[in-house]
Amino acid sequence: MASTQEKATHKNNTPSPSSSSSAQVLQNWSLAAPSEDPIPKAASMAALIRPAETIADPPATKTTTSKGISIMPRAQTSHPLDPLSAAEISVAVATVRAAGATPEVRDSMRFIEVVLVEPDKHVVALADAYFFPPFQPSLLPRTKGGPVIPSKLPPRKARLVVYNKRSNETSIWIVELSEVHAATRGGHHRGKVISSKVVPNVQPPMDAMEYAECEAVVKDFPPFREAMKKRGIEDMDLVMVDPWCAGYHSSADAPSLRLAKPLIFCRTESDCPMENGYARPVEGIHVLVDMQNMVVIEFEDRKLVPLPPADPLRNYTAGETRGGVDRSDVKPLQIIQTEGPSFRINGNFIAWQKWNFRIGFTPREGLVIYSVAYIDGSRGRRPVAHRLSFVEMVVPYGDPNDPHYRKNAFDAGEDGLGKNAHSLKKGCDCLGYIKYFDAHFTNFTGGVETIENCVCLHEEDHGILWKHQDWRTGLAEVRRSRRLTVSFICTVANYEYGFFWHFYQDGKIEAEVKLTGILSLGALQPGETRKYGTTIAPGLYAPVHQHFFVARMDMAVDCKPGEAFNQVVEVNLKVEEPGKDNVHNNAFYAEEELLRSELQAMRDCNPLTARHWIVRNTRNVNRTGQLTGFKLVPGSNCLPLAGSEAKFLRRAAFLKHNLWVTPYAHDEMYPGGEFPNQNPRVGEGLATWVKQNRSLEEADVVLWYVFGVIHIPRLEDWPVMPVDRIGFMLMPHGFFNCSPAVDVPPSTTDLELKDNDIATKPIQNVIIAKL
């Protein structure tokens, strides 16, 4: 992930010249190299985001620019948790390719993934203590005689998943990168191969290049063209072939072959600039593609189902293109931050409203949040979590008919959420002062691709934070809520998913997923209906389905690196039995149960008892003597609506419970195992790891929270599906001695609209107070 001068923008319906200049100043300060002058000549010092107030000077010699801004020389340019740069990816690919035994081996290498090898937590602590701002020596334990500070950190390493197209083998490589590689392009300098191994009996995720090639192969297959001709389609440019991974339903899907089972759709001949091809699914054609050799190995025209007629409501562009008109009475809404944002950045380090953390990005998970901590007055920096991310998602469909019963995509493990992320240059839902970050990853042939403006960081006004009016005095107090949002959006075939982490001034962290896009549909025979879906247009229906997401949270509540002092407690509300302790039959209380082991910690949500879970520090107490903690509060949730022998549950056994807890292990990252594509092994991953039944009474705990939503499609979900939101909260529970919200100052606005002006004046949301 990287950021460039253009990435900090003030986004409004009507740009403000003053805010644009503030954006440029922030960008120049936050990203300046030691040799650069970080302030433009015309810039005002007042427009800077107070770097000296939160980014402390390190215990080292500092240099000063002509403008008086301190710039710290650093021994290393990349923090140990920074995503690999484009140059580092190029070097890693060149190193592995050069290590191929023969020219044939080198030519057949396809690069699925190149990611950072995340270092041990003590290396991260060392980097944050002495090598990178804000320089936090308190992260390291005190030692007799003082700390021993090395002159440099261990070299960064890259981990590569490589698919050999010739042999159909998957291998994992570890490459060591030196500091020089961060500035090297074109592979002129190579890294050092630390290890390599072949992983048997697996298939790695599919790649966009493979999908494009598969579509071309199917369109050129003569029996397929003949089948489409029967349906009245001869122009192959109208045909859409969406390759889906085969999953695993029987030994025929074994990973000895790299398989795809495409779904077919067809556009209509129209002049619409964005014709919705998903409105016309092609039913009855079975295609199986060998993705290694790019050949169709099975084809059958099983049933002739007429194409759904061209629905005039099918498209989603401007109203005129679909026979309607767009709304004309929506007035501008401007988000104006006259003094710039309240957040401060240094590379991938973010500081805002006592929160600080680092941003990362991987091709599989997308956005990763590292080293989450809260600056709590005299208590200093208090860790909350080491690593937060969404590690898997599964979308099982509830229609037993072909081909829908096979639709159970693992969108992270089979495709990659990060690799399918959007460049928000093409459309961003954020308003206000925005800081963007780029993401780099490898393509199938080893080239480096960059998603510009991939991650969005911005503040949002979030209504009332707290309010109270004293009826005796008539005095009132009110505080508005501000939250910091970090997000990215990806497209997987027809669906869009937005992933958001929100940080609040009262100490809460919210994880939110927004689901939108276009439904995956099926065609109907004339007069046919399906009980497993909703008819949404003539000849067209949308099957019922579910979406499941898995958040992996490596917690560190009040734990410094190397400490393992957390435990998890389940809380349920209980109604007191009638008797002498409940003579009025109104009593209820919160009952706690310590989850002592992994098998005991396989838990489900229960809204009837307001069930939630608290991660506590076993050795740190608040002023009332209670253990400090953060609690996981579920939002709406569900479990799989499928029988226990459902085929997709072989690979997704982790969906059987909403919560799993494990002690930290560096190689336990993905709940369905690293390679869920065509995985024949039952219960690989989380469901197998917990069988060790390791102790959780005092541990470095990892929470795996599984949350899902059931989609019973409506007519109103056509032709586009309005955003559906699901998620959960991490809330302080005894972590603070009083509410952090009490010290949030009042916010003011400089514009009030009169009642008779509302219909004609633009609505401005003006944020003036800089908190």
Side-chain angles (χ1 to χ4, degrees), residues 286-606:
H286 166 77
V287 187
L288 181 65
V289 179
D290 176 349
M291 299 291 279
Q292 177 191 0
N293 301 299
M294 280 300 165
V295 294
V296 176
I297 56 176
E298 288 183 16
F299 181 86
E300 185 179 356
D301 190 353
R302 293 175 172 173
K303 182 172 60 173
L304 183 60
V305 180
L307 286 174
D311 183 359
L313 302 179
R314 71 190 180 280
N315 293 328
Y316 47 86
T317 49
E320 293 77 10
T321 67
R322 50 186 170 80
V325 293
D326 289 335
R327 303 183 191 192
S328 60
D329 57 349
V330 179
K331 303 300 182 183
L333 174 63
Q334 298 179 355
I335 308 298
I336 299 175
Q337 294 174 269
T338 56
E339 299 180 37
S342 300
F343 58 77
R344 293 160 297 279
I345 59 174
N346 191 313
N348 285 350
F349 178 81
I350 313 298
W352 177 84
Q353 291 291 286
K354 304 182 182 181
W355 286 109
N356 61 58
F357 54 88
R358 288 190 173 274
I359 290 177
F361 200 87
T362 74
R364 182 168 183 155
E365 303 157 278
L367 178 62
V368 181
I369 307 293
Y370 296 107
S371 303
V372 179
Y374 192 91
I375 308 303
D376 187 16
S378 61
R379 301 186 71 169
R381 181 186 187 276
R382 301 181 65 188
V384 174
H386 177 70
R387 192 182 195 276
L388 306 173
S389 70
F390 295 96
V391 289
E392 190 56 274
M393 60 171 291
V394 184
V395 188
Y397 278 69
D399 186 342
N401 295 285
D402 187 48
H404 307 288
Y405 76 94
R406 283 187 169 273
K407 291 158 68 172
N408 42 75
F410 286 61
D411 286 335
E414 292 178 340
D415 290 287
L417 302 177
K419 290 186 77 168
N420 285 283
H422 295 182
S423 169
L424 297 176
K425 280 186 171 182
K426 299 178 180 179
C428 179
D429 67 341
C430 307
L431 292 176
Y433 192 109
I434 303 169
K435 169 65 183 174
Y436 290 112
F437 296 84
D438 294 347
H440 306 294
F441 60 92
T442 182
N443 61 27
F444 203 40
T445 56
V448 179
E449 297 190 4
T450 297
I451 304 176
E452 294 185 334
N453 292 18
C454 182
V455 172
C456 174
L457 172 74
H458 74 294
E459 292 178 286
E460 294 178 345
D461 179 82
H462 196 61
I464 295 177
L465 177 62
W466 65 271
K467 178 179 173 66
H468 177 66
Q469 179 169 313
D470 189 323
W471 65 271
R472 291 182 174 85
T473 65
L475 298 177
E477 287 289 329
V478 62
R479 302 291 187 269
R480 291 198 69 78
S481 175
R482 187 84 62 88
R483 71 180 184 185
L484 183 70
T485 294
V486 196
S487 63
F488 82 103
I489 299 174
C490 68
T491 298
V492 186
N494 54 292
Y495 257 106
E496 265 74 20
Y497 301 98
F499 296 89
F500 298 77
W501 292 96
H502 305 292
F503 294 83
Y504 291 85
Q505 293 164 305
D506 61 352
K508 295 196 300 285
I509 303 172
E510 181 183 13
E512 182 182 36
V513 180
K514 298 180 182 180
L515 303 85
T516 182
I518 300 174
L519 294 167
S520 181
L521 306 170
L524 297 171
Q525 296 276 13
E528 182 186 8
T529 60
R530 291 271 178 91
K531 66 186 292 187
Y532 308 106
T534 303
T535 301
I536 59 173
L540 195 62
Y541 86 108
V544 294
H545 57 284
Q546 295 179 274
H547 298 260
F548 289 99
F549 305 87
V550 185
R552 179 183 181 273
M553 294 169 280
D554 182 357
M555 302 300 291
V557 176
D558 271 336
C559 284
K560 293 181 178 180
E563 295 180 344
F565 301 149
N566 281 175
Q567 61 182 204
V568 181
V569 173
E570 179 174 285
V571 180
N572 289 280
L573 295 185
K574 298 283 186 178
V575 175
E576 186 70 77
E577 293 293 331
K580 63 182 180 64
D581 293 329
N582 187 20
V583 294
H584 302 293
N585 287 323
N586 68 317
F588 65 94
Y589 60 97
E591 182 178 76
E592 297 184 356
E593 180 183 5
L594 174 63
L595 303 181
R596 300 180 181 277
S597 66
E598 290 179 285
L599 292 180
Q600 186 187 358
M602 297 160 52
R603 310 299 297 164
D604 296 326
C605 295
N606 185 355

Side-chain angles (χ1 to χ4, degrees), residues 38-119:
I39 304 182
K41 293 189 185 327
S44 166
M45 290 290 291
L48 288 172
I49 311 302
R50 305 191 304 274
E53 292 184 19
T54 55
I55 308 299
D57 290 340
T61 303
K62 58 186 179 181
T63 60
T64 305
T65 71
S66 60
K67 299 297 182 182
I69 301 299
S70 298
I71 302 296
M72 306 313 307
R74 295 192 294 189
Q76 295 191 219
T77 58
S78 296
H79 186 276
L81 292 177
D82 283 349
L84 295 178
S85 67
E88 288 175 313
I89 293 172
S90 293
V91 168
V93 168
T95 301
V96 169
R97 185 171 274 141
T102 65
E104 291 77 16
V105 170
R106 293 191 288 273
D107 291 344
S108 62
M109 286 181 173
R110 299 294 181 267
F111 295 87
I112 303 296
E113 182 179 275
V114 183
V115 296
L116 174 74
V117 175
E118 295 179 10

Side-chain angles (χ1 to χ4, degrees), residues 138 144 155 187 222-224 338 413 728 760:
S138 62
K144 189 175 182 179
F224 176 77
T338 56
F728 60 91
T760 58

Side-chain angles (χ1 to χ4, degrees), residues 679-707:
N679 186 2
R681 295 167 291 280
V682 178
E684 187 170 35
L686 191 52
T688 297
W689 301 332
V690 300
K691 291 179 181 178
Q692 301 170 74
N693 205 25
R694 293 164 289 188
S695 173
L696 300 173
E697 292 193 48
E698 190 173 62
D700 183 356
V701 301
V702 178
L703 304 183
W704 308 75
Y705 182 61
V706 182
F707 58 107

